[in-house]
Amino acid sequence: MLVVFIGPPGAGKGTQAKRLREHLAVPHISTGELMRNVESSQTDLGNQVGECLRRGELVPDDLVIGIVEQRIGQPDCENGCLFDGFPRTVTQAVQFDHCLKTKEKSLDLAVALSVTRPELISRLSARGRRDDTPETIANRLDVYDAHTLPLLAYYEQRGILANVDGTGSEDEVFERIKQAIDRHVTETA
Ligand code: AMP
């Protein structure tokens, strides 16, 4: 099964994707983690990516797509995978669809986690990651609204969007996600 998790920073994409990885027995791919790996390579590219991360800006689409294409070509993705933090722009989503088509695959479901902005700010401030400073948090939330939110309409049109309320305990949210996936599996069976 091929699933993407969409949601603003702090919505719980990483936490939930890791739990779902066990449930669906497919790898979990966090593009944020892939980008942090590129950053630590201490090359020119690494410095360029690091600059985007520090500012809370998106890494350029072509670079992200190239890295994702390489990753899904690995044998462990043969039976699908879960993306967390990808795609983040409509361009990425369109290019991703194209890339999957050439591999005779297609996306099964886009899970969109929603959480209110004040709740996100409070969760991110408590997390303390290097890009969780107040300025970067505000920028990442604005970037999400401007560039990533339009993805929901894109996937809704395709009939593969599952909106999930991301508030409440981790267990509650996980139950909602499992229900959305089961519903999708039943509908498409
Ligand atoms: P995350 O760990 O998902 O919050 O991602 C951390 C940072 O990595 C983001 O703020 C972006 O700078 C970068 N990043 C992660 N995924 C993407 C993506 N799909 N497109 C562009 N930039 C990304």
Side-chain angles (χ1 to χ4, degrees):
M1 190 167 200
L2 232 164
V3 178
V4 296
F5 267 83
I6 303 168
K13 300 185 295 293
T15 309
Q16 297 296 338
K18 277 184 199 138
R19 293 184 69 158
L20 202 60
R21 164 180 67 185
E22 313 294 326
H23 184 66
L24 297 177
V26 292
H28 159 227
I29 302 172
S30 151
T31 45
E33 235 165 70
L34 294 177
M35 295 309 138
R36 285 186 284 277
N37 290 344
V38 174
E39 181 193 15
S40 61
S41 68
Q42 295 186 333
T43 55
D44 283 349
L45 186 63
N47 292 338
Q48 192 194 327
V49 167
E51 195 55 35
C52 295
L53 300 191
R54 269 187 296 281
R55 292 193 188 150
E57 300 290 344
L58 294 181
V59 172
D61 288 333
D62 287 351
L63 207 147
V64 178
I65 285 284
I67 289 173
V68 163
E69 254 188 272
Q70 207 180 24
R71 182 64 188 87
I72 54 168
Q74 313 263 312
D76 63 337
C77 294
E78 193 63 34
N79 295 321
C81 58
L82 293 173
F83 274 100
D84 140 23
F86 174 86
R88 261 172 153 105
T89 64
V90 173
T91 305
Q92 289 179 15
V94 171
Q95 291 189 9
F96 185 49
D97 281 339
H98 186 72
C99 156
L100 292 174
K101 211 169 170 188
T102 64
K103 296 179 191 298
E104 293 177 9
K105 293 179 183 208
S106 64
L107 186 60
D108 292 294
L109 196 65
V111 176
L113 284 177
S114 58
V115 175
T116 63
R117 193 166 172 128
E119 169 74 15
L120 291 170
I121 293 174
S122 123
R123 287 187 190 182
L124 290 167
S125 311
R127 198 166 71 168
R129 209 169 72 182
R130 211 179 41 135
D131 56 351
D132 287 337
T133 62
E135 300 75 35
T136 311
I137 289 173
N139 194 32
R140 283 159 65 212
L141 293 174
D142 290 344
V143 164
Y144 177 81
D145 287 348
H147 299 284
T148 311
L149 262 186
L151 269 182
L152 303 193
Y154 177 79
Y155 286 129
E156 176 135 56
Q157 258 174 12
R158 299 255 315 267
I160 56 167
L161 181 72
N163 275 304
V164 173
D165 176 3
T167 52
S169 71
E170 278 181 31
D171 287 345
E172 283 166 341
V173 178
F174 188 54
E175 274 313 309
R176 288 179 206 134
I177 293 172
K178 279 197 298 188
Q179 278 169 19
I181 287 180
D182 290 349
R183 215 176 307 129
H184 175 76
V185 170
T186 317
E187 278 166 12
T188 52

